[in-house]
Amino acid sequence: MSTQGRPLEGKVAIVTGAGRGLGRAEALELAANGARVVVNDLGVASDGSGADEGPAHEVVARIESAGGEAIAHFGDVARWDDAGALIARAVDVYGELHILVNNAGFSRDRMIFNMSEDDWDAVIRVHLKGHFCTSRFATAHWRDRAKLTGGSTYGRIVNTASEAFLFGPAGLANYAAAKSGIVGLTVATGHACGKYGVTANVVCPRARTRMNSEGSLGALFAKPEQGFDTYDPANVAPVVAYLASPAAGHINAHVFLAWGNQVSLIGAPRVLETFTSDGRWTAQGLRDGVGAYLAERDGVSTSFAAELPGI
C-alpha cells in the first residue's frame, strides 16, 4: 500500500460484522487508509482466539495481500464478555484502539401482529445491545486513556443505523426500533464523551446486503449489468473512513444518510406546529385543533421521512 493519502496511518480500528457486506467494505476501506484492523465476525470460536476458516479470515487475507495489517476476532458483540474481549484484543495486539465501527446485525421481517417474542428480542439484542456492549468497553478505555494523557485522547465511534428509524417499514418494527435506539445511543454517547476527544456518529446506509438482496427489495438493490453501482457497499465505506479520521474531529453526534454518490445530513426532528388552549385540553378541542390541522394536510408531508432524498 502507498504511504500517501492514508489519513488513518498508525490508527487501530475494530469493525464488527466485518466478514461480509458493509462491514467487509468498511474494513477494507479503513485498511486502505492506513488503519490496522480487527475484523470481527461470528465464527467457530467465541473467545477471540480465532477459527480455522470463515469470512473474517478472508477479509484479513485481503487486507494483508494489499500490504496492510489485520487480525480476525470471532465473537458475539451482544455478549458482554465477548464485547469486552474484542476491545481487549485490539489493545493487546496493537497497543491501542482509536476507532470502533459497529455494523453487526440482521433482520427478521414480520408484521407486528405476526412477530414472536424471539423475533423481537433477537433483533434488538444484536443491533442495539451489540452496539452498546462494544461502545461501553471502548469508551471506558478511552476515558481511562484521557485521564492518563491530560484529559483528551483519540476515539471515533461510527454506528450503523437505517432510515427505517424514521419511516418505520411496516414489516420491520423490531428493526426500526433497534435502529432508532442506535441513533439515541450514539447521540448520547457523543455528548458524554466529546470532552475526552471521542466522537460518535451514525451512518444510515442504502447499500446491497444479505438483508435486502432477497425478497421484495431484491430487484431494487440488484447490481446493474453496467454503469455506476448505486448500492455497492463500497460507496458507503469512505464516509465511515472519513468520520473515523482526524479531519472529522469536530463532527460529533450527527446522523448521515449515505448511498451511491450522495451523503445527506439528517437533522433533529422539528416541531411542525404548536397548539394551545385556554386551560386543559378537551377531546373536542383537540379534534378542532390538532385533528383539523392534520386532516387538511397530506399524511406524508408530516412524516419524519418526508424530506429525505429518494423517499
Side-chain angles (χ1 to χ4, degrees):
M1 290 185 178
S2 169
T3 58
Q4 297 184 3
R6 289 159 59 90
L8 300 179
E9 190 73 43
K11 300 293 187 289
V12 177
I14 290 172
V15 183
T16 72
R20 299 181 177 89
L22 278 164
R24 177 181 183 274
E26 292 160 356
L28 295 175
E29 183 72 16
L30 292 171
N33 280 272
R36 293 166 288 175
V37 184
V38 180
V39 180
N40 164 265
D41 207 71
L42 288 175
V44 176
S46 63
D47 60 359
S49 59
D52 292 335
E53 58 186 22
H57 279 307
E58 296 171 8
V59 175
V60 169
R62 173 87 175 264
I63 291 172
E64 290 178 338
S65 69
E69 294 183 57
I71 59 171
H73 176 276
F74 295 89
D76 179 352
V77 294
R79 285 188 61 199
W80 187 259
D81 291 344
D82 282 11
L86 172 58
I87 305 306
R89 178 75 169 157
V91 176
D92 290 345
V93 173
Y94 294 122
E96 181 55 292
L97 173 66
H98 304 96
I99 300 159
L100 171 63
V101 179
N102 282 309
N103 179 73
F106 73 106
S107 67
R108 287 190 183 178
D109 300 11
R110 299 282 191 280
M111 297 298 284
I112 187 65
F113 40 78
N114 290 326
M115 188 170 292
S116 70
E117 182 180 17
D118 186 61
D119 291 333
W120 175 269
D121 288 348
V123 170
I124 296 295
R125 176 186 178 277
V126 174
H127 286 275
L128 184 53
K129 186 181 178 184
H131 276 59
F132 160 69
C133 287
T134 55
S135 296
R136 189 274 181 197
F137 287 104
T139 54
H141 168 75
W142 287 324
R143 184 192 61 176
D144 291 344
R145 292 284 297 183
K147 289 181 177 179
L148 290 173
T149 57
S152 184
T153 188
Y154 187 108
R156 301 284 188 271
I157 296 176
V158 183
N159 285 335
T160 306
S162 166
E163 297 163 273
F165 92 93
L166 286 171
F167 60 80
L172 291 170
N174 49 2
Y175 183 79
K179 292 306 188 182
S180 181
I182 287 170
V183 172
L185 168 68
T186 307
V187 172
T189 300
H191 291 162
C193 298
K195 63 184 177 182
Y196 300 118
V198 177
T199 67
N201 293 286
V202 176
V203 173
C204 298
R206 286 186 198 167
R208 184 170 51 253
T209 68
R210 286 190 297 170
M211 287 191 292
N212 59 35
S213 60
E214 300 176 354
S216 60
L217 294 177
L220 173 63
F221 287 94
K223 184 176 181 178
E225 294 184 2
Q226 60 183 0
F228 182 61
D229 185 357
T230 300
Y231 299 112
D232 187 340
N235 298 333
V236 178
V239 181
V240 173
Y242 168 65
L243 292 173
S245 72
H250 62 294
I251 301 175
N252 189 27
H254 287 293
V255 180
F256 297 90
L257 167 65
W259 64 303
N261 60 358
Q262 298 185 37
V263 179
S264 302
L265 178 63
I266 300 176
R270 58 191 177 90
V271 175
L272 296 178
E273 190 68 42
T274 299
F275 305 88
T276 60
S277 68
D278 296 329
R280 181 177 299 157
W281 279 101
T282 65
Q284 177 69 41
L286 289 167
R287 189 191 72 175
D288 294 342
V290 179
Y293 173 85
L294 291 173
E296 292 174 359
R297 288 157 177 79
D298 183 281
V300 175
S301 69
T302 58
S303 72
F304 283 167
E307 298 179 3
L308 287 181
I311 299 297

